[in-house]
Amino acid sequence: MNSTEDKLKERIKELTCLYDVTSIIVNADYQQLETSLQAIVQCLKKAWLYKDDAEVYLSCSAYEIKTKAYDPSMVSLKSDIKVFNKIEGYIKVGYPKEKYSQSDFLEEEQILLASVSLAVGNLLERKQIRDSEAAVKRQMEHTDRLYILGEITAGIAHELNTPLANILGFAELLKERMVDKQTIKDLEKIMDNAIFSREIVKKLMFFACEMPQEMHSLQVNSNVESVLELLKPSLQEKNIKVNTSFSNDDIQLRADTVQLTQVLFNMIMNAIYYSPVNGAIGLDVKEKKKNIEISISDQGKGIDPENETKVFEPFFTTKPHGEGSGLGLSVVHGIITSHKGTITHKPNTPKGTIFTIDFPKL
């Protein structure tokens, strides 16, 4: 390529390629990014001196795109794709080694490839930023919903406490005066239901962080063992094995003993419910520099993606009617939040769910 006309044609091809790549990126659909990357790969192929023999390969993150006849053994130019200054992949443009050598590439082509790689990196950065913003927005909306629900449930709990106490008190007084056995049985049913309702109110107050806390240093390992002892009948009923692991023998945490017990009881009971017969539950307690991490894993069906943001909302449950109030995980969330901790969940492998609780060392 010696003539001025040929050089001009190549520059036009390169500029056209850059313009097309820029247009693709500006109009990119972040939900279908692979389509945009495929279009960029085709643009690069057309920009090379021997475009009929040029093949392109792009590898980055979850994407792997190549033109039809690409072969790894080709002589090629390569440029790294950087996302937030970290190499996340690369683009290669190659020629068949039977016909071409490295000297057949133009200096301008290496510059063009670097420019396109930079543009692809910028595109992937924008996608990550967009995804992060969307995740933060969802989290804020979720937090707002929980806050509003907390305010509502706190009000409901306070309003129900007095009439429930009256129902229970007057039923007890009537029971003492009655001699008819059937009437006494009926009153006992009233009292049992009032006590059950009072427990639900108590859970609502836990969720709304309205229960007073008695914070003191406690031994996490013995607390875990005590809860497992309480749940032994439920574990034996489904023949479920609990694999416990402690990072050391004396893990100390400043917390409310009753509330920590309730958190562990609810989480392990939840894992038992969703675990299959003869399954296994993992319970790992790790002491780190600034926090205590408790992980509880099961081998159940896992959480449906549609329900991932709902699991900590009060009254939400996937259990059949009559088997759950939908307050267990919301109570756990309220207690952990009041301890300035966090709770998250992720899929277990090969199936099930892992809940991870982080308590700060206060």
Side-chain angles (χ1 to χ4, degrees), residues 7 47 78 119 164 206 223 242 262 304 315 333:
K7 290 180 180 179
K78 177 185 174 183
L164 282 173
F206 269 122
N223 199 282
V242 180
Q262 182 148 11
D304 192 304
F315 309 114
H333 184 277

Side-chain angles (χ1 to χ4, degrees), residues 79-295:
S79 182
D80 291 329
I81 297 172
K82 291 184 178 180
V83 180
F84 297 112
N85 294 320
K86 183 181 177 182
I87 296 174
E88 296 286 349
Y90 59 87
I91 304 176
K92 279 186 176 181
V93 181
Y95 290 136
K97 63 180 180 181
E98 297 81 12
K99 292 175 62 177
Y100 300 92
S101 66
Q102 206 70 33
S103 60
D104 289 308
F105 292 105
L106 305 175
E107 288 182 16
E108 292 81 3
E109 289 173 339
Q110 182 66 66
I111 296 170
L112 172 63
L113 186 57
S115 298
V116 173
S117 297
L118 178 63
V120 170
N122 290 338
L123 173 62
L124 294 173
E125 284 179 3
R126 286 200 290 276
K127 183 182 187 303
Q128 284 191 21
I129 292 169
R130 188 187 181 96
D131 290 347
S132 297
E133 287 175 346
V136 169
K137 185 179 179 182
R138 285 196 301 271
Q139 184 60 40
M140 288 177 66
E141 290 172 349
H142 179 61
T143 303
D144 286 343
R145 286 200 302 271
L146 287 177
Y147 176 78
I148 293 166
L149 283 167
E151 292 285 302
I152 294 169
T153 52
I156 293 171
H158 285 298
E159 290 296 324
L160 288 176
N161 256 337
T162 301
L164 282 173
N166 289 336
I167 292 169
L168 193 56
F170 282 112
E172 287 175 344
L173 288 172
L174 282 171
K175 183 183 173 184
E176 291 174 2
R177 299 175 187 175
M178 293 296 169
V179 291
D180 181 65
K181 290 183 178 179
Q182 185 58 48
T183 304
I184 291 171
K185 285 182 180 179
D186 291 341
L187 284 169
E188 285 175 346
K189 287 179 183 179
I190 291 171
M191 291 166 64
D192 288 341
N193 280 280
I195 290 168
F196 176 75
S197 300
R198 191 173 62 183
E199 288 303 308
I200 291 178
V201 169
K202 193 181 291 184
K203 287 182 178 180
L204 286 170
M205 293 179 77
F206 269 122
F207 170 75
C209 304
E210 291 289 319
M211 295 296 288
Q213 290 179 331
E214 294 182 11
M215 304 288 283
H216 56 84
S217 183
L218 56 86
Q219 222 271 357
V220 179
N221 303 34
S222 60
N223 199 282
V224 169
E225 296 296 344
S226 298
V227 171
L228 290 176
E229 189 65 30
L230 285 171
L231 289 169
K232 188 178 283 186
S234 299
L235 290 164
Q236 289 175 343
E237 187 179 344
K238 294 182 74 173
N239 195 27
I240 292 172
K241 182 181 179 182
V242 180
N243 300 313
T244 57
S245 172
F246 301 98
S247 61
N248 62 67
D249 295 332
D250 185 24
I251 300 175
Q252 297 289 326
L253 174 66
R254 184 171 172 77
D256 182 294
T257 306
V258 174
Q259 292 187 359
L260 179 62
T261 300
Q262 182 148 11
V263 166
L264 293 170
F265 188 92
N266 273 318
M267 295 307 300
I268 298 170
M269 195 67 207
N270 198 59
I272 293 171
Y273 181 87
Y274 288 106
S275 292
V277 175
N278 301 319
I281 293 170
L283 206 168
D284 298 323
V285 184
K286 297 177 183 176
E287 182 174 16
K288 300 184 176 180
K289 287 184 178 181
K290 296 182 179 180
N291 64 299
I292 305 295
E293 182 183 282
I294 303 172
S295 294

